[in-house]
Amino acid sequence: MSPIGSLKRLISASDIARIALGWGAFGALLLAHPLLTAPVPAPLLVIALTIIVAVILICAFGVVKQAEALAHRLGDPYGSLVLTLSIVLIEVILISAVMLGPGEHATIARDSVMAVSMIILNLVIGLALLLGGIRHRGMAHNRTGTSAYLAMLVVLTALAFALPALIGQDGAYTSAQSIPVVILTVLLYGFFLFRQMGAQAADFTEVDERVVRRTSSSADAGEHSIRDTLRVHRTEVIVRLAVLVVTVIPIVLLSHDMAALLDDGLGRLGAPTALAGVLIAAIVFLPESITAIRAALGGEIQRVVNLCHGALVSTVGLTIPAVLVIGMLTDQTVILAEAPADLMLLGVTLLLSLTTFAAKRVTAMHGATHLAVFAVYVLVLFR
């Protein structure tokens, strides 16, 4: 088959339409920026937010399509890692760009990562376990891989949110403290990725017999090594990865550009400004959330774990070193220490996650408890 024929087979008209829609909406938002920065009439504000959310949803399903195709071709953990790193890296770049821009942004990393933590560990995982548990009853996960994720999260979140409150100054690490924290975080995260993609890759694969039987006959990753798969299907992997990235970038850009509109709208409603950060974080990780819930409905609970826990490990492991380095280079204060109520909820969330995934099979009851914690987190936002 010719290169053009291969591209036509891999990239459909709907893929091109989604890319055009996403980037077109972002371009239109840039052009309309002067109108949207002035006091915006309520009807225009609602229309703008509705259009942006609709575009993000349409693009999100395009990202999910490519992510699922890559996951099928590469197998886990590689397929899930592609989607996770694509979104997280863009998010880290945007947070870094905000810090390098004008104004004070001392708490942007803390607020963003905390919102992502609560959304992923409680809302997304809670929905996935609830819906997947109702459909499949108990779902078996790979406890070795899941334990590795949770061990990383306990250490990384403690370094990010708890330790600076105890040894830092006004909730921020000093420069002398930041350097070893950055080095330790980067080394630990790098070693985790090295093992996950290498010698311990099997610890992050599905173990539920129902899923293994269904996929064993068709999964490439089960028949060939990842190197063989990349060699044989290199063109498909590169094209789908490029389409995924080009589709996901407008989602993240639109999400952050709509922050001012959300702040304005929530301010008029009297809602707390922190709620805007939660909504933006939920939208940024929408493609991953949809993919995780679809995987849970298919009984692929280890893929849910790889997507959700993997996303949070990458978010903390990349964001915290990045903002600490920027803070040292630009002489900015980076406040990471969380408020007592948020620290308590984070601790409860991690303890609940350890309890949930210590079980051989996770169920809908586990999902309900995670959703309850997320409801409490929303309640705390309005304190």
Side-chain angles (χ1 to χ4, degrees), residues 212-248:
V212 172
R213 282 197 302 268
R214 187 174 71 241
T215 60
S216 60
S217 60
S218 59
D220 266 5
E223 299 172 2
H224 307 291
S225 69
I226 186 63
R227 291 182 180 178
D228 292 336
T229 301
L230 289 174
R231 186 177 64 252
V232 175
H233 302 285
R234 181 176 55 188
T235 300
E236 178 185 353
V237 171
I238 292 174
V239 170
R240 291 197 182 281
L241 178 58
V243 173
L244 185 151
V245 172
V246 173
T247 309
V248 83

Side-chain angles (χ1 to χ4, degrees), residues 108-142:
I108 182 174
R110 181 196 69 184
D111 297 341
S112 299
V113 176
M114 182 64 184
V116 169
S117 300
M118 292 295 104
I119 288 168
I120 289 178
L121 291 180
N122 289 318
L123 178 60
V124 180
I125 284 184
L127 281 173
L129 296 185
L130 180 67
L131 298 176
I134 290 173
R135 173 172 285 191
H136 301 283
R137 296 187 179 180
M139 297 176 289
H141 63 100
N142 196 323

Side-chain angles (χ1 to χ4, degrees), residues 8 13 64 69 104 112 129 165 170 177 185 195 200 216 236 238 254 266 271 276 278 286 296 321 345 378:
K8 287 183 177 179
V64 170
E104 289 292 330
S112 299
L129 296 185
D170 299 322
Q177 295 167 343
T185 302
R195 296 293 296 181
Q200 290 184 239
S216 60
E236 178 185 353
I238 292 174
L254 287 170
L266 293 174
V278 175
L286 184 61
L345 280 175
V378 174

Side-chain angles (χ1 to χ4, degrees), residues 161-175:
F161 300 127
L163 193 59
L166 299 175
I167 68 171
Q169 294 180 356
D170 299 322
Y173 284 121
T174 64
S175 295

Side-chain angles (χ1 to χ4, degrees), residues 173-185 324-325 328:
Y173 284 121
T174 64
S175 295
Q177 295 167 343
S178 295
I179 293 172
V181 168
V182 168
I183 294 173
L184 179 61
T185 302
L324 286 177
V325 169
M328 287 186 287

Side-chain angles (χ1 to χ4, degrees), residues 68 81 87 146 158 176 184 189 226 230 250 271 310 349 374 379:
E68 290 184 339
L81 196 59
I87 295 175
T146 307
L184 179 61
Y189 178 65
I226 186 63
L230 289 174
T349 297
F374 184 77
L379 180 64

Side-chain angles (χ1 to χ4, degrees), residues 356-370:
T356 295
F357 291 99
K360 291 183 178 180
R361 307 181 76 83
V362 291
T363 67
M365 291 178 64
H366 291 114
T369 58
H370 283 270

